[in-house]
Amino acid sequence: MIKPPSAISRRHFLATSAVATAAACLNPRTLWARQAAQQTPDPKDFLTRARAANANNKITATPLRRNVTFLGGAGGNIAVLTAKEGKLLVDSGYASCQPQLTAALAAINADPIQVLINTHWHFDHTDGNEWMHSAGADIWAHENTRYRMSTTQNIVAYKAIIPPAPTGALPTILVNSYRHLSDGTSTLKLTHYEPAHTDTDLSVHFTEADILHCGDTFWNGFYPFIDYSSGGNVNGMIQATEQNLATAGADTIVIPGHGPLGNKAQLTEFRDMLVGSRDNIAKLKKEGKSLDETIAAKPTAAFDAKWGKKPEAFIGYVYQGV
């Protein structure tokens, strides 16, 4: 069992469950890919370009319920809980959005950031870790998140070489399977998925508020990116969505990694799209079709109007995993 550090105990966030080891929501293609439009970008400059491309993003704040606020626009979607002695955040967005995020957080109240939870390692969800840690946050994440953030990563689909994060950005409180946090008023359940979007994914369920932050295992209104370079796969995405559906009820507010706030009905649509796309693409691949031939066959045609009129990249992700 991992016990929380004394700083967490003093602030009344207590770990209560055992573990094995210790918007204006921008189109995610804009978040990650617009800076790659240069003719011959250097993969090692990808993160620098991403920060610059998103430095002027507008942050929108949407109060939800039981002291939880949704912040969109900083990269991956962020949730903020105003707890007894400070704020708890889920994900930190781009470092270049620090001024806007600082203002958005100050508009909620003057309390410091106490706890930061990363849903997975990708930089649009973790790039702000260092400044939030400097502001007082202890960082929680799955153990694979710390591993991937502490080593050079190659996101092949985006031709992006991501260097190791600074020490201050690394999670120090590591979750292997699940964890509960409580300050006596609000309870959060952190749950690790088997490899899905990546091999680092966590969900965060604010149980009293009935708000579920799915990270990038749910993209609301967009075909998802599946990062095979980080251990992700389409079948894992489907399993993660089934897990999210088992947690969500009719009144649950569902926060996706990208896209607007959602609900269980939209999660169900997302699952159906993933399953239908996988089955159609798997059939074509089994028939011996190449990726180009599979794309030409339009296996996602029934879903394109809702999830994206340019599905080629998504078809490629699914094709790779079936």
Side-chain angles (χ1 to χ4, degrees):
M1 174 183 291
I2 292 179
K3 296 181 179 179
S6 58
I8 293 290
S9 298
R10 285 197 302 271
R11 295 165 179 166
H12 306 298
F13 269 94
L14 305 175
T16 59
S17 293
V19 296
T21 63
C25 304
L26 298 178
N27 185 322
R29 292 189 183 279
T30 299
L31 293 173
W32 276 44
R34 71 185 179 192
Q35 70 277 9
Q38 301 174 30
Q39 191 170 6
T40 56
D42 184 343
K44 294 181 180 179
D45 291 337
F46 190 93
L47 182 53
T48 299
R49 297 196 308 274
R51 287 170 175 160
N54 292 278
N56 296 317
N57 289 355
K58 180 181 178 181
I59 308 302
T60 61
T62 305
L64 301 180
R65 52 195 180 208
R66 290 188 65 95
N67 297 321
V68 178
T69 301
F70 168 78
L71 299 181
N77 289 331
I78 294 172
V80 183
L81 170 67
T82 303
K84 285 186 175 180
E85 296 186 20
K87 296 186 182 78
L88 179 149
L89 271 65
V90 180
D91 286 342
S92 63
Y94 282 106
S96 55
C97 292
Q98 179 179 350
Q100 303 97 300
L101 279 174
T102 299
L105 292 169
I108 296 173
N109 65 29
D111 291 348
I113 306 171
Q114 173 186 344
V115 175
L116 169 63
I117 300 167
N118 292 147
T119 59
H120 63 293
W121 84 270
H122 281 156
F123 54 84
D124 54 329
H125 298 257
T126 62
D127 195 38
N129 279 20
E130 186 176 30
W131 76 261
M132 291 190 183
H133 174 68
S134 296
D138 292 300
I139 305 174
W140 298 62
H142 186 261
E143 58 189 8
N144 288 348
T145 293
R146 180 181 172 91
Y147 164 73
R148 290 198 177 277
M149 290 183 66
S150 63
T151 57
T152 298
Q153 297 294 306
N154 180 7
I155 304 177
V156 174
Y158 282 90
K159 299 180 181 179
I161 304 298
I162 309 301
T167 300
L170 299 178
T172 57
I173 306 171
L174 306 181
V175 178
N176 179 272
S177 55
Y178 68 93
R179 199 79 178 260
H180 281 88
L181 304 177
S182 177
D183 68 349
T185 300
S186 299
T187 306
L188 286 74
K189 182 179 181 183
L190 282 60
T191 302
H192 173 55
Y193 306 91
E194 293 301 313
H197 172 64
T198 67
D199 61 9
T200 70
D201 302 312
L202 290 176
S203 66
V204 181
H205 187 210
F206 299 81
T207 55
E208 290 87 1
D210 195 18
I211 297 168
L212 177 63
H213 196 313
C214 299
D216 278 5
T217 64
F218 176 39
W219 296 50
N220 194 11
F222 303 102
Y223 283 126
F225 169 47
I226 304 173
D227 188 1
Y228 286 82
S229 301
S230 297
N233 66 80
V234 64
N235 289 316
M237 284 288 286
I238 292 169
Q239 291 167 7
T241 306
E242 294 287 1
Q243 188 171 336
N244 291 333
L245 284 168
T247 299
D251 297 324
T252 303
I253 297 172
V254 183
I255 300 177
H258 298 278
L261 292 167
N263 54 35
K264 186 168 186 174
Q266 290 167 322
L267 264 180
T268 301
E269 288 184 280
F270 185 68
R271 186 271 315 277
D272 293 347
M273 176 275 292
L274 289 173
V275 172
S277 298
R278 179 201 60 186
D279 291 351
N280 291 344
I281 294 166
K283 180 176 182 294
L284 292 167
K285 187 173 182 179
K286 187 175 181 180
E287 292 172 356
K289 298 287 194 299
S290 68
L291 174 57
D292 287 343
E293 290 170 331
T294 298
I295 291 172
K298 301 185 182 302
T300 62
F303 309 110
D304 290 348
K306 178 176 178 60
W307 299 97
K309 295 180 180 179
K310 295 183 178 181
E312 293 83 2
F314 173 67
I315 293 171
Y317 303 145
V318 177
Y319 186 92
Q320 184 174 347
V322 296

